[in-house]
Every structure is written in C-alpha cells, then in structure tokens.
Amino acid sequence: MPDLALNVTTGQVLDARELAATQNGIDDDWICPDSNCAVRMVPAACRNAKYRVSPYFRALEPHMIGCKADGLRSIVKEGRLHPIQTKMTFPEVLPTVLYLAAQRPQRPTAEQQADGGCIDTYRGQGAEASNASRHHATASTLRRIAEAFCAYPLDRDLPLRIPGCVGTTYRTCFKRVGNTQGFVDDPKKVLYAPIRFAKKTICEEVLTVELNQVVWPSEHRDDVKIIPEANYKVEFNMGEWSEGCRKRFLCEVDKFINIQRENYRVKSDWAVFLFFLGTQDENNKNVFRVNDHRLIYLIELNDKDFPHKKGKR
C-alpha cells in the first residue's frame, strides 16, 4: 500500500496524507510515480471520515516487476521517525521544490455561509502553476520535505528549492534552533526544535507554542544567578484557516504536548520536534510567526539523531 502517487493532471507526486488533509484532487486520475510502471492508482481512506488505517494509494492492477515505488510506505511509525542510514533507493520521489498554490479564503463569508459554507481549496495561477504542474517532485506542504530531511541524512546534499528560503539543498535549507546568548537574527530557513510540554496558549485566533530553547543574557555577573531572558516561541495565526484545519491542528498540538510531557517524565531520548517556515519578529527576536498551516509539521524524533551545538548559535 504505497503512500505516494503521481497526479496525472498536475504532474505532482503527493503523499496520501496531504491529499486527506486538503481534500483537493481525490477524484483526479493517479498513477504509480515510477515512470516505468505507471499503473493506475486510487486514493484510499482519504475522505473526510474516521478510518482505522492511515491514508494510502491502492493500485488497480499489479505493479510492474521491479517497480521502485511498489510498497513505498511512510517512514513514520506510530508517530516516531527513525532515520535510514542508507541512501534513498528511489530519490526521484523526494521533493526538490516546495510549491504553495494560491489559496482561496477558507473562512466562509456571509454569502458562502448561506450557500452552505466553503471548503479548503487551492488553485494555481498563471505561469507559476504551469511550471509547478510540470515538476515531478513537488511538495505542496512542509510535511514531505521535513520527513525526507529527517529520514535520509545521507541524501541531504540533494537539491531543494523553497521560495524565499536561504539554501539550495536539504542540508542548507534547514536549521535547528538552539539556545543563544542574547537575541540573534535567524536566516530565512526551515527552523526546527523540540517543543516545551507547557500548555499551549490561545489569544483571539493566535495559538502560541513554546520551544525548548532559551535566550541567555549576553552579559552577566559571576556573583548573580543566570536566568534566561526569554523562551523561543512560535505564534500561529489561524484567522484565515478553515474550521477543519483549526480543529485538526489544535488536536494535533494537544496530542504532541502530552507525548512530550511523557517523554520528559520518563527521561526519554525521544522528543517532539516542531518544523516550521515563518517570519521572525523584528522587535522580539525570540518570536516567530507562521500564518499558513501548510508550513507546519510536528513529529517525534530521537534527539541523539539530531545533534546540535550548545551555547551561542
């Protein structure tokens, strides 16, 4: 039961979980991403309903003998990701570009409410959409890119393009947030760090999650106990999200905070990491803001697999 399939109309390779999250393209024609096989495939367990299995793609006929994509399953098992210490045998399915299609308003207007509301819908526009449709390894959310970064450490020199992001490879497009001495400017990259197990806070439509990283004073006296100046935190503005996206995200945050709390209780090497692509507040350097739910990913990783330098970054 492969997780990936190629959309015949757009040319994009999508993860079944992305399809389930957006509900856009479920009825399109799908084929095996291995061009030498290309058997027809259909999404399964992707509709807006509760299923006992994770979303996947089902082949309508047997895959070609030697198909590289047959049985290509998610690298996440029970919410945890274990890095694979060999190179990817089918690198063609690893995303090389992040493309965010133009997004229609997801919160229904008064007229839309009268017509029964609106659903999440993404549409490409103009030449940009045409270019994206010709790209074989395009990711429509941060999830697949972050999973590839985590799962295949030996493939991090493969090319990756994220609009507005500093870096041209998986290795140079990601950066772990660490403790700092004083407030620092972060480059525009996909940032990631373990989250704190403190409860989330919501003010109006902005949800705040704290990272397990702090800002230490840039100067201190030896006879005074050093106290962190601030925790790093990420603010998510959900004002333009659909009700379904909001509910899914809030449930996911609650679930992972509970997992993180248990990890700390048993002193586990596993930790919940938040991956995000956002903007840094110019006045409060310890605050990052993310407005697009497609640029967020939570996953449980073994902290030893992602070493980082302590002290000033």
Side-chain angles (χ1 to χ4, degrees), residues 62-120:
H63 286 266
M64 181 193 73
I65 296 177
C67 172
K68 296 178 181 178
D70 183 19
L72 188 63
R73 292 295 292 159
S74 172
I75 48 186
V76 179
K77 302 299 180 184
E78 297 182 353
R80 289 183 169 184
L81 188 151
H82 298 264
I84 299 171
Q85 300 304 327
T86 59
K87 286 202 170 186
M88 177 62 167
T89 57
F90 190 23
E92 293 87 348
V93 301
L94 293 183
T96 58
V97 62
L98 174 65
Y99 170 72
L100 297 179
Q103 189 171 342
R104 291 180 177 179
Q106 297 184 37
R107 302 297 292 275
T109 62
E111 293 180 356
Q112 290 170 329
Q113 286 178 337
D115 293 333
C118 63
I119 60 173
D120 297 357

Side-chain angles (χ1 to χ4, degrees), residues 173-228:
C173 281
F174 284 76
K175 183 176 187 292
R176 177 164 174 165
V177 178
N179 298 331
T180 63
Q181 294 177 342
F183 295 88
V184 299
D185 290 311
D186 267 296
K188 183 72 173 181
K189 293 190 177 187
V190 177
L191 302 177
Y192 64 99
I195 64 172
R196 294 187 69 197
F197 58 81
K199 290 184 178 180
K200 66 181 186 297
T201 58
I202 300 178
C203 181
E204 295 182 348
E205 294 184 318
V206 177
L207 179 147
T208 301
V209 173
E210 292 190 0
L211 304 180
N212 197 34
Q213 315 298 146
V214 299
V215 179
W216 294 104
S218 55
E219 297 181 0
H220 65 274
R221 290 166 40 190
D222 293 337
D223 59 338
V224 177
K225 183 179 179 180
I226 304 177
I227 299 176

Side-chain angles (χ1 to χ4, degrees), residues 2 17 25 45 51 68 70 88 105 108-109 116 133-134 136 140 151 159 167 219 224 226 260 269-270 277 288 301:
R17 293 165 299 172
Y51 296 95
K68 296 178 181 178
D70 183 19
M88 177 62 167
T109 62
S133 67
R134 293 195 297 268
H136 181 79
S140 58
E219 297 181 0
V224 177
I226 304 177
Q260 191 75 319
D269 289 330
W270 289 86
L277 183 61
F288 298 94
L301 304 170

Side-chain angles (χ1 to χ4, degrees), residues 117-135:
C118 63
I119 60 173
D120 297 357
T121 308
Y122 308 105
R123 300 289 181 186
Q125 297 178 351
E128 187 177 7
S130 176
N131 290 337
S133 67
R134 293 195 297 268
H135 206 293

